[in-house]
Amino acid sequence: MRTSAQYYKDLKKMKPNLYIGGKRLGRDDVRIRPGINVISVTFDLAQEPKWQDILTMKSSLSGKEVNRYTYPPQNPYDLLQKQKMIRLLTQRVGGCIQRCMGYDALIALSIATKEMDEKYGTEYHERFMKYLGYSQERDLVAACAQTDMKGDRLKRPCEQPDPDAYLHVVDVRDDGIIVRGAKISITMAAYADEIIVLPTRALREQDKDYAVAFAIPADWDRVHLVTRPVWVRKRKAIKAPFPEYGVSDSMVIFDDTFIPKDRVFMCKEWEFGRRLALLFANSHRHSYSGCKPAISDMLCGATALVAEANHIERVDHVRQKLSEFAGGAELAYAAGIAAAVYGEKTSSGTFFPNPVYANVGRRLMGETIYHEFNILTEVAGGLSATLPFEDEFIHEKTKPYMDKYIVRNPIFSPEDSHRIWRLVEDLIASPMSAWYQIAGVHGGGSPIMETITLNVEYDYESKKNIAKYLAGISKELDQSKDLSIEPVFGEHQENY
Amino acid sequence: MRTSAQYYKDLKKMKPNLYIGGKRLGRDDVRIRPGINVISVTFDLAQEPKWQDILTMKSSLSGKEVNRYTYPPQNPYDLLQKQKMIRLLTQRVGGCIQRCMGYDALIALSIATKEMDEKYGTEYHERFMKYLGYSQERDLVAACAQTDMKGDRLKRPCEQPDPDAYLHVVDVRDDGIIVRGAKISITMAAYADEIIVLPTRALREQDKDYAVAFAIPADWDRVHLVTRPVWVRKRKAIKAPFPEYGVSDSMVIFDDTFIPKDRVFMCKEWEFGRRLALLFANSHRHSYSGCKPAISDMLCGATALVAEANHIERVDHVRQKLSEFAGGAELAYAAGIAAAVYGEKTSSGTFFPNPVYANVGRRLMGETIYHEFNILTEVAGGLSATLPFEDEFIHEKTKPYMDKYIVRNPIFSPEDSHRIWRLVEDLIASPMSAWYQIAGVHGGGSPIMETITLNVEYDYESKKNIAKYLAGISKELDQSKDLSIEPVFGEHQENY
Amino acid sequence: MRTSAQYYKDLKKMKPNLYIGGKRLGRDDVRIRPGINVISVTFDLAQEPKWQDILTMKSSLSGKEVNRYTYPPQNPYDLLQKQKMIRLLTQRVGGCIQRCMGYDALIALSIATKEMDEKYGTEYHERFMKYLGYSQERDLVAACAQTDMKGDRLKRPCEQPDPDAYLHVVDVRDDGIIVRGAKISITMAAYADEIIVLPTRALREQDKDYAVAFAIPADWDRVHLVTRPVWVRKRKAIKAPFPEYGVSDSMVIFDDTFIPKDRVFMCKEWEFGRRLALLFANSHRHSYSGCKPAISDMLCGATALVAEANHIERVDHVRQKLSEFAGGAELAYAAGIAAAVYGEKTSSGTFFPNPVYANVGRRLMGETIYHEFNILTEVAGGLSATLPFEDEFIHEKTKPYMDKYIVRNPIFSPEDSHRIWRLVEDLIASPMSAWYQIAGVHGGGSPIMETITLNVEYDYESKKNIAKYLAGISKELDQSKDLSIEPVFGEHQENY
Amino acid sequence: MRTSAQYYKDLKKMKPNLYIGGKRLGRDDVRIRPGINVISVTFDLAQEPKWQDILTMKSSLSGKEVNRYTYPPQNPYDLLQKQKMIRLLTQRVGGCIQRCMGYDALIALSIATKEMDEKYGTEYHERFMKYLGYSQERDLVAACAQTDMKGDRLKRPCEQPDPDAYLHVVDVRDDGIIVRGAKISITMAAYADEIIVLPTRALREQDKDYAVAFAIPADWDRVHLVTRPVWVRKRKAIKAPFPEYGVSDSMVIFDDTFIPKDRVFMCKEWEFGRRLALLFANSHRHSYSGCKPAISDMLCGATALVAEANHIERVDHVRQKLSEFAGGAELAYAAGIAAAVYGEKTSSGTFFPNPVYANVGRRLMGETIYHEFNILTEVAGGLSATLPFEDEFIHEKTKPYMDKYIVRNPIFSPEDSHRIWRLVEDLIASPMSAWYQIAGVHGGGSPIMETITLNVEYDYESKKNIAKYLAGISKELDQSKDLSIEPVFGEHQENY
């Protein structure tokens, strides 16, 4: 397994294909460092013995312990551990751990390549498994580039005025393919080793050029990353973990880019566009059942802490509000657990979470994220938006005033009081705030997408049958479909 | 295992101690029949081979297959099956299956009696296990009488102006005890074989006379049941399952009632008042993770069906609303699953659900029940409240008009259209509607009770530690407490 | 002005054309008496000097003081007084005062008849004004029959499989017209003097036969009322105002019914279908800004009272909940006030409320009605659904127990404690509960209808212009359209 | 009336007592310029003839037309115009117009000084009126410094460990007083001419030193402003109004500051602490019924615009969401109108809004602000958080890609598409976003403060009386208290 130092060394070797603030740059730009710090934690904790059960797993490819982020779950226990790993790491960096994207892409490809081969006699799965082995051995970090620019939202890919609105195959050669298009909102692409490209939606036959999946190094030729980093204001005196972490998103532009054959995992199999898109989405929504509870944990903790700083921690409405975090976090976490327990062993061997539970959990968190910021705001008070800059806590004229007045609850020293308010500012009134709010709604699929998925996946007919039976319209009620599903669990687990 | 016919025969033998509408009555009164019909289903389905995995389990007391309602869960799988059983039965009777109360009382007593013995060297557990064996062998149905009249809600039991506001021990004799007080809102007491009495709250030493638990036959001497039955309007021509089911609640009055020693399971052990009350409450809240999803299923199915009757089933806002049922039902069900997977083996051998998950699930359903009625109302339209009586669908003058005008979507015949609207009326505009709304809020603990429980059980400190670490107030973050809990599952299940 | 005694005498003279429970009946049936009691209050209070400013107004038709329910508002003050009258009366009968329907129909017709005449040179307005004078002089009570059976909700009237799904003109004769169809959910038709029929929706030219409006006596030939009365359980000993009041809804069937010419106010003017339907709907939604606050007032008062009976009236979450009633009631009432202040003088002289405010107010209440029941339920506790019948408070064996245990807060006597719980039962667990819930959502237009109306009436363009200006897409921001509207008020009132 | 140029010239003359980023600065610092631009609009529009009815009023002090911000409302029409002025200006600067604070302070002082004189025979009112005349003549801009640092939130001022946690009088001299303490979250203090200090809460006799109100120039001796400016990222090429505006908040420190006698408007009259604090709060909450609707207007407009840019403006759920803005904005605006119509003429002549309506309106907006951001986020999509920097739209290598891919709906040019997304970024993902969210919750009083105010001001007794009457507990229902209040309106306006 790589160390974070090796990871950073590898990044610095890459060709400069980032564009930030009107300049072409390499991976040593200071503005992407907060994102690199986040990914580093996924290496660092995998080295700590106490977390190895959670951060590593034994690969049946190599027989070795590998970083859990490099090997798809094989049974429900792996899904539970994945969820736990994500909650652990997200708590620790105070935000999105980012590496799940690439992991969920690997999971989705492991299944879809097998299924395509079963249907078409292609050889994608073997090709992919080689790539997986390569990637696992090097402990690589991948971004997943799924979301296209999309153009007109009411038109399908082949109907767009600009055919490049969705990424597509423009040529097929013996040694590979040529692709064009752009992917947007691609988190961590700027400091990933690899970029994995997946289709973003269901496709029809006319759209078949848009059915394409592949993986390439992130500094590949004719790949341009237009990157927007997000970070919080640098601290001068009161250093702390939170402001060391951050994120970058990129627009990833493919301008007639060549993709070698052994890196292509789907090419024109349009019937699998929807399947592959949903496999990624549903796996990623399950990942959110680990990270969103951790975001709630952090907001809950900050709310509890600032309540104490205001000395209102015993007030009724504050306690009621704190319990809302518990409700949100644990219902979403429970949905992830249920998704594991009622998951499915696919033909590829990868164990996949139950999509209904993955979607109800993710949707809940997407619906409540702004409300959670609202709670912290209510309890913190207006000071979170009007806190004087750190410099004023340093300047000789103003420091005495700051130290005197920042203390509300004398159990906290002026410095700790200041630290609390500064954290609250970073959480709810910094550039990261908006990023968490917006990613909280849209990352992995906005609530409207989960509703659409549920309207497809959920068995409304069995519910209607209950009504028909109770109304006397049907004489019998067949409940077996809904209720005969066995948990993958307990005495039944020997199958896996 | 008993049949429903035997159950009814046993009921009819009981002494008449019901008071309904100003009369003293036995169990043959027609107004409690809908409740009896509900309980009967728990016997009938246990006889059907296809449901035996769910409705029965092997008792280690007798080595025999017994009704699941008579033997506490021994492992997480039993909890999952309990949840599934409840969802199955609740769907089938279109409402509360009622028998869980007594089951959860048995579960709570199995644990608390053991723990009291461990602490005090009493012999409650053995006594209780005998009672459990007796009860199991006869396949008895028990009501659980927990909620006291309570008097002034801001005063503890011993501070009440009327000492009988909470049920208490008034005398201890060699052969048993004398108790006085009244329990209110006791569902199914009127057609239970037994009544199990539990304390309703945490107690202090001064309250020790209020620490009392026991079980007696429901027609016991000096026990009076003031009963309020609820049922929907009788059908004349279009019979259907739904209107055959209903419920009765009783005020159970103990007026210096003698309880024989072998039926007493707690007597003045005030330190266990809170424990026993919470064991019942939390087990019962876990039961709700089975029944409330089924109530949602039924409302969801009725909404989908009436949407079709209105021919608006494809309309966007209707589909959005349908998906809200999916979200509510499956999040609560997931909470029940998580409560099982992260549950605990108690010293008594009974496997107990994780209280945090049991509470977040139950609270969610208590918060959304009125909203779910709102959705069905919105989709059904005003007709549900203004539907002419069934007689008008029979009377020769009005029948032709009714048959002509009741059809909105011609895929449904006049009769089926009528059946749909009549079901909707029964669901949202009958005496049962209010019962489901109010029980949906308060049964097993209202949202405010779950919030209070969460404020006790949830680990807010570990969340605050995350904030302290990220703010730089603490140097280390110990996440082991939160995240080292192993699921009782997979490779770890051999312990059970 | 009529007295309530005269009103009742007039009702009893009517021909028996009600169908209830399989029988043809007259207006003396006891089941419609609670509705008659409601209407009677609109006569009784008009006789009381202290309420005359509110319940009466001077008619410019006759120069006499008339019941406010018989003369359309002429200025914004009249709208404010209308709103106040409705809140006053609704508080007093503990529910829908019902007479607004006919009043809003008169208001709508006063405007639309004028506008049709202006466009087509018809003489509807004069005809209507005669009818208004007649109706005013006799102080008549009218039901408004707007909602058709509607059939398939996705089809227009002329596309329905059954052409009678919407009421329509089947023949035009010299002396009048013949109509066929049925109107549903027609509140108070069973004890109205008159029935006013209006179209229910926008129409196209093909639908012109469905553009019809008229008024006839409620016992008119070939008019059948299939009536569903709603009332609460009769009291035996503890009489009180609330259970004396109730409501009936009717399906009003027109089976080739002849309508004399002088009673016809629209016949095939399809372009005014939408206008007339919306005039009624928007006027009626303004009426809701009077009645819904009163319903909230009553639920608020009951919640405050039962909180006291539980002795939890000072508890934080109870006070928070009480304030939600204040918010809901007063925001809706404020919307009614704003609708008056920014209303419009129509060409007919009738002063009409601003539709945006009428709709936002009504929608709010439709969205919160179930939540308000939820609050009362939460504060009251489960007893509201399980309260023993009144008989048990009378029977000699059970009375002592009831009297002893019903008291929670000793400031209330057993009888008053009983009265409180009985009222709560009547409010949230009686047949009236569902009626208020469902009417609260759908009466006068469900939330989805107000959303649709707002999407038509609200000036989203002016809002988009703000965004375009701030984005630098347009150079100028013209705010005059939105903000130049003057209130009909203060120094500007001389115009009216 | 001053021009904005004169205002800015006056600012530049002030002594440098701002502290920003560790430096002492004057009013020419570029970071406070966006705030100055906001205030300037209140001068500029007062010069435009088309807005004079709204932005100016005739002062009875001088008989001259003055800026409306310098003269308290005298009748309900003035309150309606105040509300309209605020909505107009807020729309135009895309955010808080800021000048209301000082205006509401003048309004509060005009009333409270009169009432104190009436009670104590003091001469505050005359003194204040002189100050008002002076301020009006010079068209001065004032910040209102109300919120103290507060220390321990559960302790009263005199109980605080640090007596300076609330600002207080430390000495009374013949020519004035000496004060010490700090006020926090004081918007626009950095570019105000004057600072008006008011007490922040109810006081007891022991707290009498904390009962103090006065006004001084913002650069007064021993007054230090620790200022935190907020602004959005500077534009390089696509200039637009929105990024020109912004805000600064200051901590205003008084360190044994001398206040001359003619500037002191309250000194130790502790019984009026609550009154003066609430007069300001309630007047300011009424101001929010003008500005919050404008914020909603802007967010609504941006949502409608970006929906069009995504070409989803006709999609059902988008239209539903747009209508939520209409509901929020117009209910709050209606509450402001009702507060005017049912307002009160005080003994000072100032006309004051009804506090119940002012509070229900403000609370609604405080509860929905985060939700409104949520809606815009949902409709805009993730791009709002990941939009590449403006530089990338300029750099020769990346510009062609940006221009090509930014267009979704071809009715918008690349530049206009870019402008739209940039505005959305500025609105929901810039430092201003958090400011609006947090100010939306807390500015003028957070929802919990309005709930507390309502629990004091709202007549719950009259509601309880309705329940008592309907339950039969009281025989009579006196509705006159609630319903006899006349609107200050129509035929009754001659009094004003």
Side-chain angles (χ1 to χ4, degrees), chain D residues 330-373:
Chain D
E330 301 308 336
L331 283 167
Y333 200 70
I337 294 166
V341 171
Y342 286 93
E344 185 198 2
K345 187 79 173 173
T346 64
S347 64
S348 65
T350 297
F351 191 84
F352 200 74
N354 179 299
V356 165
Y357 290 112
N359 278 280
V360 296
R362 170 66 186 93
R363 183 170 68 168
L364 177 73
M365 298 314 281
E367 288 169 344
T368 56
I369 181 73
Y370 273 92
H371 181 61
E372 294 191 341
F373 276 82

Side-chain angles (χ1 to χ4, degrees), chain C residues 84 308 330 458 464 485, chain D residues 84 308 330 458 464 485:
Chain C
K84 196 178 276 185
E308 216 172 317
E330 300 309 336
Y458 198 61
K464 214 157 71 182
I485 311 161
Chain D
K84 198 179 275 185
E308 217 173 316
E330 301 308 336
Y458 198 62
K464 213 157 71 183
I485 311 160

